[in-house]
Amino acid sequence: MKRLSEALGVDLWIKRDDCTGMSTGGNKTRKLEFLMAEALEQGADMVMTQGATQTNHGRQTAAFAAKLGLKCHILLEDRTGYQDGNYNTNGNVLLDHLHGATTEKFPGGHDMPGEMERAAEKMRAKGHKVYVIPGGGSNPTGALGYVNCAFELLAQANETGLKIDRVVHATGSSGTQAGLVTGLCAMNSAVPVLGIGTRAPQPKQEQMVYDLACKTAEKLGCPGVVKREDVMANTDYVGEGYGVPTESGIEAIRMFAELEGILLDPCYSAKGAAGLIDLARKGAFKDETVVFLHTGGAAALGGYDFAFDNADRWVNL
Ligand SMILES: *Cc1c(COP(=O)(O)O)cnc(C)c1O
């Protein structure tokens, strides 16, 4: 990212997992590659998952289900309380419905995994074979997608002769970082990964990632490769809470959009980029080559138009 590198004084590269395909792409594509295979293997005719109203994971699950001819039901938790029309029906929600998925709304703080089990039981009673995918697709099966990403990243760095000093990305339900760290450790790579938090406080976030990395390493056949100190999260950029835009995130969206022509989303990738930008400005990546893993999310932008004041973009020449 030439212009952003110049602006921040750091050698910045980007891995475009926002271009992974399936309804505009994003990090859930790699997880769903394994999860949907498991669903098919088990003979499922329906998948069910859950997330926040503007869940990217739900949208990508809906797209995969459409492609594979499975029914899809998404349980949406209202984590922000926004009454805004676009937030509740545009962006990812619009795309969920376009892919043929059904959605169901729940208040914030609800027991979503429990609710999903109840819903799955109801559909099983009606004769469906339901495959339940956890929020964010974050379990050892889904995390294998990011083990693959780690392998791919190392191969690309080798091919191009790029020495990567650090990988930075937005972390949430933890499957992305858990898979990446597991893959890098399994390959004996010393590249550190910094997750920028989007919801939980640091101790909880790191523990979630570490626990899932341990299980993923076991599934991969190399138990114990991940050490606790391999898991690093910075949660200083969450702001008021999950899914609530921050000033630094909005600045990050504008910088990526105006300097690189790349779109971020207010909930995840913008907060990850805000951490990247702030830490770069503070000199934390001095003389480093940093790869920002773009986890996607721009499909949510249409649900967040209220967060942007673009009045000065209308001009009369
Ligand atoms: C889900 C998501 C993340 C977080 O990934 P996890 O594996 O849940 O930690 C980051 N960015 C975007 C755009 C996402 O949709």
Side-chain angles (χ1 to χ4, degrees):
M1 293 191 285
K2 216 168 151 204
R3 294 190 73 210
L4 201 55
S5 294
E6 276 167 21
L8 296 172
V10 176
D11 185 27
L12 281 179
W13 293 68
I14 186 163
K15 182 148 177 67
R16 300 292 305 268
D17 269 19
D18 58 322
C19 300
T20 46
M22 299 317 288
S23 191
T24 78
N27 63 341
K28 305 313 180 304
T29 299
R30 290 188 192 270
K31 301 177 181 188
L32 287 162
E33 185 183 349
F34 288 86
L35 292 162
M36 291 308 237
E38 203 168 80
L40 292 181
E41 201 175 70
Q42 294 178 10
D45 65 0
M46 181 173 198
V47 291
M48 219 174 255
T49 196
Q50 58 102 355
T53 304
Q54 283 292 338
T55 170
N56 299 300
H57 165 68
R59 178 247 313 161
Q60 292 199 264
T61 304
F64 261 97
K67 185 173 169 68
L68 298 172
L70 307 177
K71 288 196 181 328
C72 178
H73 184 66
I74 311 168
L75 288 81
L76 299 177
E77 180 188 1
D78 179 14
R79 292 188 200 159
T80 62
Y82 288 144
Q83 298 301 311
D84 182 80
N86 278 336
Y87 181 80
N88 287 291
T89 58
N90 207 332
N92 281 308
V93 183
L94 172 67
L95 302 185
D96 295 342
H97 295 158
L98 288 180
H99 291 304
T102 51
T103 53
E104 193 174 355
K105 196 102 186 217
F106 295 88
H110 208 76
D111 168 25
M112 296 300 284
E115 203 59 63
M116 197 151 58
E117 269 317 312
R118 277 188 285 280
E121 277 315 312
K122 267 189 213 163
M123 295 315 285
R124 284 176 187 133
K126 288 187 180 170
H128 283 289
K129 280 220 66 162
V130 184
Y131 180 82
V132 174
I133 301 174
S138 284
N139 62 15
T141 302
L144 287 180
Y146 272 88
V147 170
N148 255 357
C149 180
F151 296 170
E152 187 181 290
L153 184 69
L154 292 176
Q156 288 175 324
N158 269 341
E159 275 163 28
T160 55
L162 186 74
K163 189 190 166 294
I164 301 172
D165 295 307
R166 195 180 303 277
V167 175
V168 177
H169 71 90
T171 179
S173 67
S174 83
T176 301
Q177 191 171 3
L180 269 182
V181 169
T182 303
L184 291 171
C185 288
M187 293 293 276
N188 251 332
S189 153
V191 177
V193 177
L194 177 63
I196 307 287
T198 54
R199 191 178 190 188
Q202 188 193 34
K204 185 179 174 194
Q205 187 66 33
E206 288 189 347
Q207 196 60 42
M208 272 167 44
V209 173
Y210 178 62
D211 289 346
L212 182 53
C214 291
K215 287 182 200 154
T216 306
E218 243 170 70
K219 192 173 178 70
L220 191 65
C222 44
V225 285
V226 180
K227 303 281 171 280
R228 179 61 185 79
E229 59 268 26
D230 296 323
V231 175
M232 283 167 285
N234 180 324
T235 58
D236 294 346
Y237 305 92
V238 176
E240 275 176 60
Y242 174 89
V244 179
T246 56
E247 215 171 285
S248 62
I250 298 294
E251 187 202 6
I253 289 176
R254 293 201 186 278
M255 282 182 80
F256 271 68
E258 292 179 20
L259 293 174
E260 296 292 340
I262 292 172
L263 294 173
L264 306 175
D265 78 294
C267 181
Y268 290 104
S269 48
K271 290 184 181 176
L276 174 84
I277 291 165
D278 185 52
L279 293 169
R281 283 175 176 156
K282 287 175 175 160
F285 308 134
K286 203 173 173 314
D287 301 322
E288 287 189 7
T289 295
V290 178
V291 173
F292 180 66
L293 173 72
H294 190 337
T295 45
L301 281 170
Y304 276 99
D305 61 324
F306 65 86
F308 301 92
D309 179 5
N310 287 325
D312 65 349
R313 294 296 194 273
W314 289 100
V315 297
N316 295 315
L317 297 184

PDB file of all heavy atoms in Angstrom, residues 43-63:
ATOM      1  N   GLY A  43     -24.764 -34.606   5.590  1.00  0.00           N
ATOM      2  CA  GLY A  43     -26.056 -34.722   4.912  1.00  0.00           C
ATOM      3  C   GLY A  43     -27.047 -33.634   5.253  1.00  0.00           C
ATOM      4  O   GLY A  43     -28.262 -33.828   5.130  1.00  0.00           O
ATOM      5  N   ALA A  44     -26.567 -32.474   5.676  1.00  0.00           N
ATOM      6  CA  ALA A  44     -27.463 -31.382   6.063  1.00  0.00           C
ATOM      7  C   ALA A  44     -28.223 -30.842   4.856  1.00  0.00           C
ATOM      8  O   ALA A  44     -27.708 -30.816   3.743  1.00  0.00           O
ATOM      9  CB  ALA A  44     -26.659 -30.254   6.709  1.00  0.00           C
ATOM     10  N   ASP A  45     -29.483 -30.421   5.103  1.00  0.00           N
ATOM     11  CA  ASP A  45     -30.223 -29.704   4.056  1.00  0.00           C
ATOM     12  C   ASP A  45     -30.485 -28.262   4.488  1.00  0.00           C
ATOM     13  O   ASP A  45     -31.108 -27.490   3.771  1.00  0.00           O
ATOM     14  CB  ASP A  45     -31.535 -30.418   3.706  1.00  0.00           C
ATOM     15  CG  ASP A  45     -32.518 -30.445   4.870  1.00  0.00           C
ATOM     16  OD1 ASP A  45     -32.195 -29.917   5.958  1.00  0.00           O
ATOM     17  OD2 ASP A  45     -33.613 -31.004   4.707  1.00  0.00           O
ATOM     18  N   MET A  46     -29.993 -27.930   5.694  1.00  0.00           N
ATOM     19  CA  MET A  46     -30.217 -26.582   6.230  1.00  0.00           C
ATOM     20  C   MET A  46     -29.057 -26.198   7.135  1.00  0.00           C
ATOM     21  O   MET A  46     -28.578 -27.033   7.907  1.00  0.00           O
ATOM     22  CB  MET A  46     -31.522 -26.580   7.030  1.00  0.00           C
ATOM     23  CG  MET A  46     -31.870 -25.239   7.623  1.00  0.00           C
ATOM     24  SD  MET A  46     -33.511 -25.295   8.370  1.00  0.00           S
ATOM     25  CE  MET A  46     -33.856 -23.554   8.468  1.00  0.00           C
ATOM     26  N   VAL A  47     -28.609 -24.954   7.030  1.00  0.00           N
ATOM     27  CA  VAL A  47     -27.609 -24.458   7.982  1.00  0.00           C
ATOM     28  C   VAL A  47     -28.218 -23.321   8.789  1.00  0.00           C
ATOM     29  O   VAL A  47     -29.111 -22.610   8.322  1.00  0.00           O
ATOM     30  CB  VAL A  47     -26.312 -23.961   7.291  1.00  0.00           C
ATOM     31  CG1 VAL A  47     -25.541 -25.114   6.676  1.00  0.00           C
ATOM     32  CG2 VAL A  47     -26.617 -22.894   6.247  1.00  0.00           C
ATOM     33  N   MET A  48     -27.731 -23.189  10.007  1.00  0.00           N
ATOM     34  CA  MET A  48     -28.219 -22.142  10.887  1.00  0.00           C
ATOM     35  C   MET A  48     -27.021 -21.482  11.525  1.00  0.00           C
ATOM     36  O   MET A  48     -26.046 -22.156  11.869  1.00  0.00           O
ATOM     37  CB  MET A  48     -29.075 -22.800  11.981  1.00  0.00           C
ATOM     38  CG  MET A  48     -30.292 -22.014  12.345  1.00  0.00           C
ATOM     39  SD  MET A  48     -31.306 -22.926  13.502  1.00  0.00           S
ATOM     40  CE  MET A  48     -32.639 -23.476  12.455  1.00  0.00           C
ATOM     41  N   THR A  49     -27.050 -20.170  11.641  1.00  0.00           N
ATOM     42  CA  THR A  49     -25.974 -19.490  12.348  1.00  0.00           C
ATOM     43  C   THR A  49     -26.516 -18.238  13.019  1.00  0.00           C
ATOM     44  O   THR A  49     -27.700 -17.921  12.892  1.00  0.00           O
ATOM     45  CB  THR A  49     -24.775 -19.197  11.417  1.00  0.00           C
ATOM     46  OG1 THR A  49     -23.628 -18.887  12.225  1.00  0.00           O
ATOM     47  CG2 THR A  49     -25.053 -18.036  10.464  1.00  0.00           C
ATOM     48  N   GLN A  50     -25.661 -17.543  13.735  1.00  0.00           N
ATOM     49  CA  GLN A  50     -26.102 -16.341  14.452  1.00  0.00           C
ATOM     50  C   GLN A  50     -25.012 -15.294  14.450  1.00  0.00           C
ATOM     51  O   GLN A  50     -23.846 -15.585  14.253  1.00  0.00           O
ATOM     52  CB  GLN A  50     -26.497 -16.714  15.897  1.00  0.00           C
ATOM     53  CG  GLN A  50     -25.401 -17.365  16.712  1.00  0.00           C
ATOM     54  CD  GLN A  50     -24.729 -16.421  17.706  1.00  0.00           C
ATOM     55  OE1 GLN A  50     -25.009 -15.227  17.745  1.00  0.00           O
ATOM     56  NE2 GLN A  50     -23.819 -16.970  18.503  1.00  0.00           N
ATOM     57  N   GLY A  51     -25.445 -14.042  14.682  1.00  0.00           N
ATOM     58  CA  GLY A  51     -24.502 -12.930  14.746  1.00  0.00           C
ATOM     59  C   GLY A  51     -25.244 -11.648  15.043  1.00  0.00           C
ATOM     60  O   GLY A  51     -26.445 -11.664  15.323  1.00  0.00           O
ATOM     61  N   ALA A  52     -24.524 -10.519  14.976  1.00  0.00           N
ATOM     62  CA  ALA A  52     -25.155  -9.221  15.168  1.00  0.00           C
ATOM     63  C   ALA A  52     -25.967  -8.877  13.916  1.00  0.00           C
ATOM     64  O   ALA A  52     -25.840  -9.537  12.889  1.00  0.00           O
ATOM     65  CB  ALA A  52     -24.093  -8.162  15.419  1.00  0.00           C
ATOM     66  N   THR A  53     -26.804  -7.844  14.010  1.00  0.00           N
ATOM     67  CA  THR A  53     -27.673  -7.469  12.882  1.00  0.00           C
ATOM     68  C   THR A  53     -26.893  -7.385  11.575  1.00  0.00           C
ATOM     69  O   THR A  53     -27.295  -7.954  10.565  1.00  0.00           O
ATOM     70  CB  THR A  53     -28.343  -6.099  13.162  1.00  0.00           C
ATOM     71  OG1 THR A  53     -29.042  -6.192  14.406  1.00  0.00           O
ATOM     72  CG2 THR A  53     -29.308  -5.724  12.055  1.00  0.00           C
ATOM     73  N   GLN A  54     -25.749  -6.684  11.593  1.00  0.00           N
ATOM     74  CA  GLN A  54     -24.959  -6.505  10.362  1.00  0.00           C
ATOM     75  C   GLN A  54     -23.857  -7.562  10.255  1.00  0.00           C
ATOM     76  O   GLN A  54     -22.741  -7.275   9.811  1.00  0.00           O
ATOM     77  CB  GLN A  54     -24.371  -5.099  10.312  1.00  0.00           C
ATOM     78  CG  GLN A  54     -25.373  -4.029   9.914  1.00  0.00           C
ATOM     79  CD  GLN A  54     -25.824  -4.161   8.458  1.00  0.00           C
ATOM     80  OE1 GLN A  54     -25.159  -4.752   7.618  1.00  0.00           O
ATOM     81  NE2 GLN A  54     -26.993  -3.609   8.164  1.00  0.00           N
ATOM     82  N   THR A  55     -24.138  -8.788  10.643  1.00  0.00           N
ATOM     83  CA  THR A  55     -23.119  -9.845  10.585  1.00  0.00           C
ATOM     84  C   THR A  55     -22.662 -10.130   9.147  1.00  0.00           C
ATOM     85  O   THR A  55     -23.485 -10.400   8.270  1.00  0.00           O
ATOM     86  CB  THR A  55     -23.632 -11.143  11.240  1.00  0.00           C
ATOM     87  OG1 THR A  55     -22.696 -12.208  10.961  1.00  0.00           O
ATOM     88  CG2 THR A  55     -25.000 -11.581  10.711  1.00  0.00           C
ATOM     89  N   ASN A  56     -21.354 -10.067   8.953  1.00  0.00           N
ATOM     90  CA  ASN A  56     -20.782 -10.453   7.657  1.00  0.00           C
ATOM     91  C   ASN A  56     -20.788 -11.973   7.521  1.00  0.00           C
ATOM     92  O   ASN A  56     -20.947 -12.518   6.430  1.00  0.00           O
ATOM     93  CB  ASN A  56     -19.346  -9.963   7.536  1.00  0.00           C
ATOM     94  CG  ASN A  56     -19.247  -8.455   7.611  1.00  0.00           C
ATOM     95  OD1 ASN A  56     -19.816  -7.758   6.792  1.00  0.00           O
ATOM     96  ND2 ASN A  56     -18.531  -7.951   8.611  1.00  0.00           N
ATOM     97  N   HIS A  57     -20.576 -12.623   8.659  1.00  0.00           N
ATOM     98  CA  HIS A  57     -20.558 -14.088   8.676  1.00  0.00           C
ATOM     99  C   HIS A  57     -21.897 -14.656   8.209  1.00  0.00           C
ATOM    100  O   HIS A  57     -21.947 -15.611   7.434  1.00  0.00           O
ATOM    101  CB  HIS A  57     -20.222 -14.571  10.088  1.00  0.00           C
ATOM    102  CG  HIS A  57     -20.526 -15.997  10.314  1.00  0.00           C
ATOM    103  ND1 HIS A  57     -19.823 -17.010   9.678  1.00  0.00           N
ATOM    104  CD2 HIS A  57     -21.473 -16.609  11.068  1.00  0.00           C
ATOM    105  CE1 HIS A  57     -20.328 -18.174  10.052  1.00  0.00           C
ATOM    106  NE2 HIS A  57     -21.323 -17.973  10.881  1.00  0.00           N
ATOM    107  N   GLY A  58     -22.999 -14.052   8.692  1.00  0.00           N
ATOM    108  CA  GLY A  58     -24.333 -14.504   8.288  1.00  0.00           C
ATOM    109  C   GLY A  58     -24.525 -14.353   6.785  1.00  0.00           C
ATOM    110  O   GLY A  58     -25.008 -15.271   6.103  1.00  0.00           O
ATOM    111  N   ARG A  59     -24.120 -13.193   6.262  1.00  0.00           N
ATOM    112  CA  ARG A  59     -24.267 -12.924   4.814  1.00  0.00           C
ATOM    113  C   ARG A  59     -23.466 -13.932   3.995  1.00  0.00           C
ATOM    114  O   ARG A  59     -23.940 -14.450   2.981  1.00  0.00           O
ATOM    115  CB  ARG A  59     -23.816 -11.496   4.531  1.00  0.00           C
ATOM    116  CG  ARG A  59     -23.861 -11.077   3.069  1.00  0.00           C
ATOM    117  CD  ARG A  59     -22.465 -10.836   2.504  1.00  0.00           C
ATOM    118  NE  ARG A  59     -21.656 -10.023   3.376  1.00  0.00           N
ATOM    119  CZ  ARG A  59     -20.334  -9.966   3.302  1.00  0.00           C
ATOM    120  NH1 ARG A  59     -19.681 -10.678   2.409  1.00  0.00           N
ATOM    121  NH2 ARG A  59     -19.650  -9.219   4.157  1.00  0.00           N
ATOM    122  N   GLN A  60     -22.252 -14.237   4.424  1.00  0.00           N
ATOM    123  CA  GLN A  60     -21.442 -15.175   3.642  1.00  0.00           C
ATOM    124  C   GLN A  60     -21.964 -16.608   3.767  1.00  0.00           C
ATOM    125  O   GLN A  60     -21.896 -17.375   2.807  1.00  0.00           O
ATOM    126  CB  GLN A  60     -19.978 -15.079   4.069  1.00  0.00           C
ATOM    127  CG  GLN A  60     -19.378 -13.736   3.664  1.00  0.00           C
ATOM    128  CD  GLN A  60     -17.869 -13.770   3.654  1.00  0.00           C
ATOM    129  OE1 GLN A  60     -17.226 -13.382   4.619  1.00  0.00           O
ATOM    130  NE2 GLN A  60     -17.311 -14.262   2.580  1.00  0.00           N
ATOM    131  N   THR A  61     -22.506 -16.932   4.946  1.00  0.00           N
ATOM    132  CA  THR A  61     -23.116 -18.249   5.124  1.00  0.00           C
ATOM    133  C   THR A  61     -24.323 -18.386   4.193  1.00  0.00           C
ATOM    134  O   THR A  61     -24.516 -19.432   3.550  1.00  0.00           O
ATOM    135  CB  THR A  61     -23.556 -18.452   6.594  1.00  0.00           C
ATOM    136  OG1 THR A  61     -22.426 -18.261   7.447  1.00  0.00           O
ATOM    137  CG2 THR A  61     -24.133 -19.843   6.821  1.00  0.00           C
ATOM    138  N   ALA A  62     -25.122 -17.315   4.117  1.00  0.00           N
ATOM    139  CA  ALA A  62     -26.304 -17.321   3.237  1.00  0.00           C
ATOM    140  C   ALA A  62     -25.887 -17.541   1.784  1.00  0.00           C
ATOM    141  O   ALA A  62     -26.531 -18.289   1.040  1.00  0.00           O
ATOM    142  CB  ALA A  62     -27.072 -16.005   3.383  1.00  0.00           C
ATOM    143  N   ALA A  63     -24.779 -16.896   1.379  1.00  0.00           N
ATOM    144  CA  ALA A  63     -24.305 -17.027  -0.008  1.00  0.00           C
ATOM    145  C   ALA A  63     -23.834 -18.453  -0.286  1.00  0.00           C
ATOM    146  O   ALA A  63     -24.147 -19.036  -1.332  1.00  0.00           O
ATOM    147  CB  ALA A  63     -23.180 -16.031  -0.266  1.00  0.00           C
TER     148      ALA A  63
END
